[in-house]
Amino acid sequence: MSLREIVRWPDPSLATPCREVSEISDEIIELAQDMLETMYAAPGRGLAAPQVGVLSRVFVVDTEWKDAAPAPKIFINPEIVARSATQAVQAEGCLSIPGVTVDVARPDSVVMRWTDLDGEPQEEAFSGFAAACVQHELDHLDGIVTLDHLDASDRARVITAYEEQQV
């Protein structure tokens, strides 16, 4: 396993929808393991493949490790199969947009289906912070970042502040 460099916004790869993973190869297994190591070192709670420069539909999360024992999950070709009608607003940070936190309204619970590293189909319901986290990472696979959830004036204000802190 090795740490990978985290791609920073406005890198165009962060706005590019990712391709499906056709087979769980050694390369995909290594990618997932590297992503977990990179996420923990960052330290984050989720990381999507485009954030390390790979345009494949893979993301990793561990929403518990900062408060409890690590519980990593690896998602290959994830999709949301059900969403709650109710929404919650969470302050979301992003490893690719360091120093920026954006309030994002999302369904407060989702059911996600994906394939694990053994090629087995998985399905799980997520709520609260975990629901926001998996939706955030799925957004990355679709070329969407937190800034894309803002209206034009808020987006311009946040981008200006981000650019000022980068110099």
Side-chain angles (χ1 to χ4, degrees):
M1 292 197 308
S2 62
L3 292 177
R4 297 202 183 197
E5 184 177 342
I6 295 175
V7 173
R8 290 197 175 187
W9 186 88
D11 188 289
S13 65
L14 295 173
T16 305
C18 296
R19 65 187 168 279
E20 292 229 351
V21 173
S22 58
E23 86 172 274
I24 300 170
S25 62
D26 289 344
E27 182 180 273
I28 291 295
I29 293 168
E30 181 181 354
L31 170 66
Q33 292 169 340
D34 289 355
M35 287 171 59
L36 283 170
E37 184 176 344
T38 302
M39 177 192 73
Y40 288 127
R45 294 195 185 201
L47 188 67
Q51 292 181 275
V52 293
V54 178
L55 296 177
S56 293
R57 294 190 73 78
V58 177
F59 72 75
V60 299
V61 299
D62 188 340
T63 59
E64 300 176 27
W65 77 274
K66 290 184 180 183
D67 303 315
K73 291 186 185 300
I74 298 166
F75 297 74
I76 300 169
N77 298 329
E79 62 178 326
I80 293 174
V81 295
R83 292 173 172 80
S84 64
T86 55
Q87 293 205 336
V89 176
Q90 300 255 1
E92 295 185 19
C94 181
L95 295 175
S96 291
I97 315 173
V100 172
T101 303
V102 174
D103 286 341
V104 179
R106 301 183 184 275
D108 62 7
S109 64
V110 295
V111 176
M112 184 166 278
R113 187 177 296 149
W114 72 95
T115 303
D116 67 18
L117 279 184
D118 294 322
E120 297 298 318
Q122 302 293 321
E123 186 171 298
E124 186 174 337
F126 296 92
S127 61
F129 176 76
C133 190
V134 297
Q135 290 175 87
H136 175 107
E137 300 310 328
L138 184 61
D139 273 358
H140 277 300
L141 303 185
D142 294 330
I144 299 167
V145 296
T146 54
L147 300 175
D148 298 327
H149 289 274
L150 299 174
D151 65 33
S153 63
D154 285 342
R155 180 182 167 96
R157 179 184 49 77
V158 170
I159 289 172
T160 298
Y162 173 71
E163 289 171 342
E164 287 172 356
Q165 77 177 10
Q166 299 306 304
V167 277

